Amino acid sequence: MVTVRAPATSANLGSGFDVFGVALDRPADVVHVERAAETTIDVTGMGADFIPEEPMDNTAGVVAEELGAPAHISIDKGVRPSSGLGSSAASAAGAAVALAELYDRDLSKRELVRVAAEGEAAVSGDAHADNVAPAILGGFTVVRDDGIERVAADLSLVVCLPDIVVSTRDAREVVPESASIEDVVDTVGSAATLSIGMCRNDPERVGRGLEEHLVTPARAALIDGYDAACEAAREAGATGVTVSGAGPAILAVCRDDDQRRVASALVDGFERDGVDATAYRSRVGDGARVL
Ligand code: HSE
């Protein structure tokens, strides 16, 4: 039996739509695998009732098929599905790392990212390695067709998950199909600022670098309480706030000393609009690891 802890992740970070991702040190899924003649899956934990256990409908099952590594896979979900926190990516990443270890496969982490991304693609129909890359490699990642850049970073983050559902399909449909050159220039400036901030563990630059005026406002409109939560977080010291992945979770960056205040402010902000929410005080974390 092999057990792996696979982290939640936050994709996009505002200015890096479909490109940037970051591993969070919490929450996480825990994936157990045992050799078996054929793959079976059971899921417990957060949102387990909504996750298919049929292997070819579950990212972990597709990963087992890709690796030719049949197993009984138990997934204890700490990352709520459809949260914007890379829930299916955590299971895919956890399964890829666990099965490679169980079957002693000589694959690099980057090869495992590719396998986990296949799992995501088969199940969601839309493959973005911006969640599986940080879920396996850890740190801050930049995913492009020609490869993945990664840097370890140490920063305080808060993710806040409101108790509402936003359909991923809706969140993709509101993304504008074109952009003005002014918006492109603005977004490139933010993305560059954020990347430098990550390399320097600088919450000011990372916070400013989340700023983006194309995708984020369109998605924020789908999240009840978003504006109130952002305003409260900024008043409490957040250096930047944005939608995490496709939402509805929100990601805030802050200085270490402000983290507790920012977490409470986000929850209070949502509550002001009548939305219950849970905040996780987190940091940029490691990728999936064998326990
Ligand atoms: N970049 C993706 C999105 C993340 O924002 O839709 C979810 O796969």
Side-chain angles (χ1 to χ4, degrees), residues 63-90:
V63 166
E65 178 74 16
E66 280 287 313
L67 286 172
H72 176 62
I73 304 173
S74 309
I75 306 172
D76 185 8
K77 296 295 300 173
V79 188
R80 196 188 88 185
S82 301
S83 57
L85 295 173
S87 179
S88 60

Side-chain angles (χ1 to χ4, degrees), residues 60-276:
V62 177
V63 166
E65 178 74 16
E66 280 287 313
L67 286 172
H72 176 62
I73 304 173
S74 309
I75 306 172
D76 185 8
K77 296 295 300 173
V79 188
R80 196 188 88 185
S82 301
S83 57
L85 295 173
S87 179
S88 60
S91 298
V97 171
L99 292 167
E101 174 81 12
L102 185 71
Y103 278 87
D104 208 13
R105 293 284 149 78
D106 186 21
L107 292 169
S108 70
K109 285 192 174 182
R110 277 160 205 264
E111 285 168 319
L112 291 177
V113 170
R114 188 196 52 74
V115 172
E118 292 294 333
E120 282 266 84
V123 172
S124 72
D126 214 357
H128 295 286
D130 52 357
N131 283 110
V132 286
I136 290 180
L137 302 173
F140 167 64
T141 54
V142 177
V143 174
R144 300 189 52 186
D145 289 346
D146 63 356
I148 302 172
E149 300 293 333
R150 174 202 180 263
V151 69
D154 186 27
L155 275 183
S156 273
L157 304 171
V158 179
V159 285
C160 185
L161 182 54
D163 198 5
I164 55 176
V165 176
V166 170
S167 121
T168 308
R169 183 186 296 267
D170 289 350
R172 290 238 37 122
E173 270 178 12
V174 297
V175 174
E177 284 179 5
S178 59
S180 68
I181 189 68
E182 287 83 7
D183 279 332
V184 173
V185 170
D186 182 57
T187 304
V188 170
S190 281
T193 304
L194 186 144
S195 301
I196 290 173
M198 285 290 184
C199 295
R200 295 184 182 170
N201 299 325
D202 174 354
E204 295 290 342
R205 285 189 174 84
V206 174
R208 273 194 285 127
L210 299 177
E211 197 74 15
E212 184 269 351
H213 304 286
L214 279 168
V215 182
T216 312
R219 285 187 164 176
L222 303 174
I223 304 171
D224 294 339
Y226 179 86
D227 290 338
C230 287
E231 193 184 321
R234 288 206 172 88
E235 278 168 13
T239 56
V241 191
T242 193
V243 177
S244 179
I250 291 188
L251 172 76
V253 179
C254 59
R255 286 174 221 88
D256 293 353
D257 290 350
D258 294 327
Q259 196 186 41
R260 195 174 287 272
R261 254 194 318 278
V262 169
S264 322
L266 282 164
V267 172
D268 292 348
F270 274 116
E271 277 178 359
R272 228 176 283 155
D273 271 4
V275 178
D276 290 334

